[in-house]
Amino acid sequence: MLINGFTSETAGRSPDAVPLFWWQGWSSAWYVTSVFDIKGFSCDEPGTFVLVRREPNGSCTPLMVGACENVSDDLFAHYGPALMRAIKSGATEVHVHLLAESPQHRARIMDDIAQGWQMPVHPAPVG
């Protein structure tokens, strides 16, 4: 269900600077995500995120999925208890899908990934 090992060219970075990972949702749609280390994580864009534990064999175990307007700020400011549970469960990476066109589209992607992996949904905070 997962395709791993893709890279992306980003302005001013070498081609291997941004690893990509593909997640498949319940609908069978595939969603490309940029992979960030959870330590020192910074992504000021709106997106759908998956907190991931990278296993010793290289596979990924999703621990939490959510969507927000500013991923790094909102993840740390609004998802505190869920984020701490994921970290205690071994979260090492944040995978961020940045291609959704609206908050509603991000929510649909979040639901699709969550249903595909039987994970609880963590919607963006309101207000």
PDB file of all heavy atoms in Angstrom, residues 60-76:
ATOM      1  N   CYS A  60       6.795   2.338   7.747  1.00  0.00           N
ATOM      2  CA  CYS A  60       6.205   3.431   8.516  1.00  0.00           C
ATOM      3  C   CYS A  60       4.925   2.969   9.191  1.00  0.00           C
ATOM      4  O   CYS A  60       4.075   2.343   8.558  1.00  0.00           O
ATOM      5  CB  CYS A  60       5.863   4.602   7.606  1.00  0.00           C
ATOM      6  SG  CYS A  60       7.306   5.416   6.935  1.00  0.00           S
ATOM      7  N   THR A  61       4.790   3.317  10.468  1.00  0.00           N
ATOM      8  CA  THR A  61       3.564   3.052  11.204  1.00  0.00           C
ATOM      9  C   THR A  61       2.903   4.393  11.502  1.00  0.00           C
ATOM     10  O   THR A  61       3.479   5.217  12.221  1.00  0.00           O
ATOM     11  CB  THR A  61       3.866   2.315  12.525  1.00  0.00           C
ATOM     12  OG1 THR A  61       4.507   1.077  12.222  1.00  0.00           O
ATOM     13  CG2 THR A  61       2.590   2.055  13.317  1.00  0.00           C
ATOM     14  N   PRO A  62       1.707   4.649  10.930  1.00  0.00           N
ATOM     15  CA  PRO A  62       1.034   5.917  11.204  1.00  0.00           C
ATOM     16  C   PRO A  62       0.448   5.911  12.614  1.00  0.00           C
ATOM     17  O   PRO A  62      -0.139   4.928  13.050  1.00  0.00           O
ATOM     18  CB  PRO A  62      -0.066   5.963  10.146  1.00  0.00           C
ATOM     19  CG  PRO A  62      -0.355   4.522   9.855  1.00  0.00           C
ATOM     20  CD  PRO A  62       0.946   3.799  10.024  1.00  0.00           C
ATOM     21  N   LEU A  63       0.627   7.009  13.344  1.00  0.00           N
ATOM     22  CA  LEU A  63       0.151   7.103  14.720  1.00  0.00           C
ATOM     23  C   LEU A  63      -0.947   8.135  14.902  1.00  0.00           C
ATOM     24  O   LEU A  63      -1.746   8.035  15.826  1.00  0.00           O
ATOM     25  CB  LEU A  63       1.323   7.438  15.651  1.00  0.00           C
ATOM     26  CG  LEU A  63       2.484   6.446  15.630  1.00  0.00           C
ATOM     27  CD1 LEU A  63       3.643   6.979  16.450  1.00  0.00           C
ATOM     28  CD2 LEU A  63       2.034   5.091  16.139  1.00  0.00           C
ATOM     29  N   MET A  64      -0.985   9.135  14.026  1.00  0.00           N
ATOM     30  CA  MET A  64      -1.963  10.214  14.163  1.00  0.00           C
ATOM     31  C   MET A  64      -2.091  10.908  12.823  1.00  0.00           C
ATOM     32  O   MET A  64      -1.105  11.067  12.105  1.00  0.00           O
ATOM     33  CB  MET A  64      -1.463  11.208  15.223  1.00  0.00           C
ATOM     34  CG  MET A  64      -2.287  12.439  15.400  1.00  0.00           C
ATOM     35  SD  MET A  64      -1.479  13.515  16.623  1.00  0.00           S
ATOM     36  CE  MET A  64      -2.299  15.057  16.255  1.00  0.00           C
ATOM     37  N   VAL A  65      -3.295  11.301  12.478  1.00  0.00           N
ATOM     38  CA  VAL A  65      -3.520  12.068  11.252  1.00  0.00           C
ATOM     39  C   VAL A  65      -4.355  13.292  11.606  1.00  0.00           C
ATOM     40  O   VAL A  65      -5.225  13.228  12.472  1.00  0.00           O
ATOM     41  CB  VAL A  65      -4.189  11.210  10.150  1.00  0.00           C
ATOM     42  CG1 VAL A  65      -5.559  10.728  10.559  1.00  0.00           C
ATOM     43  CG2 VAL A  65      -4.265  11.960   8.835  1.00  0.00           C
ATOM     44  N   GLY A  66      -4.054  14.405  10.966  1.00  0.00           N
ATOM     45  CA  GLY A  66      -4.797  15.636  11.227  1.00  0.00           C
ATOM     46  C   GLY A  66      -4.626  16.605  10.079  1.00  0.00           C
ATOM     47  O   GLY A  66      -3.915  16.338   9.118  1.00  0.00           O
ATOM     48  N   ALA A  67      -5.282  17.751  10.194  1.00  0.00           N
ATOM     49  CA  ALA A  67      -5.189  18.799   9.179  1.00  0.00           C
ATOM     50  C   ALA A  67      -5.236  20.149   9.877  1.00  0.00           C
ATOM     51  O   ALA A  67      -5.931  20.305  10.884  1.00  0.00           O
ATOM     52  CB  ALA A  67      -6.333  18.677   8.182  1.00  0.00           C
ATOM     53  N   CYS A  68      -4.489  21.114   9.344  1.00  0.00           N
ATOM     54  CA  CYS A  68      -4.487  22.441   9.958  1.00  0.00           C
ATOM     55  C   CYS A  68      -3.995  23.499   8.979  1.00  0.00           C
ATOM     56  O   CYS A  68      -3.546  23.181   7.887  1.00  0.00           O
ATOM     57  CB  CYS A  68      -3.682  22.445  11.248  1.00  0.00           C
ATOM     58  SG  CYS A  68      -2.080  21.679  11.131  1.00  0.00           S
ATOM     59  N   GLU A  69      -4.068  24.754   9.403  1.00  0.00           N
ATOM     60  CA  GLU A  69      -3.707  25.895   8.563  1.00  0.00           C
ATOM     61  C   GLU A  69      -2.208  26.162   8.522  1.00  0.00           C
ATOM     62  O   GLU A  69      -1.684  26.618   7.528  1.00  0.00           O
ATOM     63  CB  GLU A  69      -4.440  27.157   9.039  1.00  0.00           C
ATOM     64  CG  GLU A  69      -5.931  27.130   8.787  1.00  0.00           C
ATOM     65  CD  GLU A  69      -6.260  27.021   7.302  1.00  0.00           C
ATOM     66  OE1 GLU A  69      -5.663  27.751   6.480  1.00  0.00           O
ATOM     67  OE2 GLU A  69      -7.098  26.171   6.956  1.00  0.00           O
ATOM     68  N   ASN A  70      -1.520  25.944   9.613  1.00  0.00           N
ATOM     69  CA  ASN A  70      -0.074  26.125   9.699  1.00  0.00           C
ATOM     70  C   ASN A  70       0.446  24.899  10.429  1.00  0.00           C
ATOM     71  O   ASN A  70       0.337  24.804  11.645  1.00  0.00           O
ATOM     72  CB  ASN A  70       0.251  27.408  10.456  1.00  0.00           C
ATOM     73  CG  ASN A  70       1.738  27.645  10.573  1.00  0.00           C
ATOM     74  OD1 ASN A  70       2.517  26.742  10.880  1.00  0.00           O
ATOM     75  ND2 ASN A  70       2.135  28.880  10.351  1.00  0.00           N
ATOM     76  N   VAL A  71       0.979  23.950   9.695  1.00  0.00           N
ATOM     77  CA  VAL A  71       1.231  22.624  10.260  1.00  0.00           C
ATOM     78  C   VAL A  71       2.113  22.684  11.501  1.00  0.00           C
ATOM     79  O   VAL A  71       1.729  22.183  12.549  1.00  0.00           O
ATOM     80  CB  VAL A  71       1.809  21.660   9.204  1.00  0.00           C
ATOM     81  CG1 VAL A  71       2.111  20.307   9.837  1.00  0.00           C
ATOM     82  CG2 VAL A  71       0.823  21.485   8.052  1.00  0.00           C
ATOM     83  N   SER A  72       3.286  23.289  11.415  1.00  0.00           N
ATOM     84  CA  SER A  72       4.172  23.229  12.584  1.00  0.00           C
ATOM     85  C   SER A  72       3.614  24.011  13.767  1.00  0.00           C
ATOM     86  O   SER A  72       3.621  23.507  14.895  1.00  0.00           O
ATOM     87  CB  SER A  72       5.591  23.687  12.239  1.00  0.00           C
ATOM     88  OG  SER A  72       5.601  24.966  11.678  1.00  0.00           O
ATOM     89  N   ASP A  73       3.086  25.215  13.552  1.00  0.00           N
ATOM     90  CA  ASP A  73       2.544  25.987  14.669  1.00  0.00           C
ATOM     91  C   ASP A  73       1.325  25.307  15.280  1.00  0.00           C
ATOM     92  O   ASP A  73       1.228  25.153  16.490  1.00  0.00           O
ATOM     93  CB  ASP A  73       2.155  27.399  14.226  1.00  0.00           C
ATOM     94  CG  ASP A  73       3.359  28.288  13.964  1.00  0.00           C
ATOM     95  OD1 ASP A  73       4.498  27.864  14.267  1.00  0.00           O
ATOM     96  OD2 ASP A  73       3.160  29.402  13.439  1.00  0.00           O
ATOM     97  N   ASP A  74       0.381  24.897  14.430  1.00  0.00           N
ATOM     98  CA  ASP A  74      -0.853  24.291  14.938  1.00  0.00           C
ATOM     99  C   ASP A  74      -0.609  22.923  15.560  1.00  0.00           C
ATOM    100  O   ASP A  74      -1.249  22.569  16.546  1.00  0.00           O
ATOM    101  CB  ASP A  74      -1.900  24.178  13.830  1.00  0.00           C
ATOM    102  CG  ASP A  74      -2.431  25.541  13.381  1.00  0.00           C
ATOM    103  OD1 ASP A  74      -2.155  26.536  14.072  1.00  0.00           O
ATOM    104  OD2 ASP A  74      -3.096  25.595  12.336  1.00  0.00           O
ATOM    105  N   LEU A  75       0.301  22.157  14.998  1.00  0.00           N
ATOM    106  CA  LEU A  75       0.593  20.835  15.551  1.00  0.00           C
ATOM    107  C   LEU A  75       1.047  20.958  16.998  1.00  0.00           C
ATOM    108  O   LEU A  75       0.551  20.260  17.871  1.00  0.00           O
ATOM    109  CB  LEU A  75       1.656  20.128  14.709  1.00  0.00           C
ATOM    110  CG  LEU A  75       2.081  18.737  15.146  1.00  0.00           C
ATOM    111  CD1 LEU A  75       0.889  17.784  15.130  1.00  0.00           C
ATOM    112  CD2 LEU A  75       3.174  18.214  14.244  1.00  0.00           C
ATOM    113  N   PHE A  76       1.959  21.883  17.259  1.00  0.00           N
ATOM    114  CA  PHE A  76       2.481  22.031  18.612  1.00  0.00           C
ATOM    115  C   PHE A  76       1.519  22.802  19.519  1.00  0.00           C
ATOM    116  O   PHE A  76       1.420  22.514  20.705  1.00  0.00           O
ATOM    117  CB  PHE A  76       3.859  22.695  18.584  1.00  0.00           C
ATOM    118  CG  PHE A  76       4.893  21.828  17.924  1.00  0.00           C
ATOM    119  CD1 PHE A  76       5.380  22.129  16.658  1.00  0.00           C
ATOM    120  CD2 PHE A  76       5.362  20.685  18.542  1.00  0.00           C
ATOM    121  CE1 PHE A  76       6.325  21.318  16.042  1.00  0.00           C
ATOM    122  CE2 PHE A  76       6.303  19.860  17.937  1.00  0.00           C
ATOM    123  CZ  PHE A  76       6.778  20.188  16.683  1.00  0.00           C
TER     124      PHE A  76
END
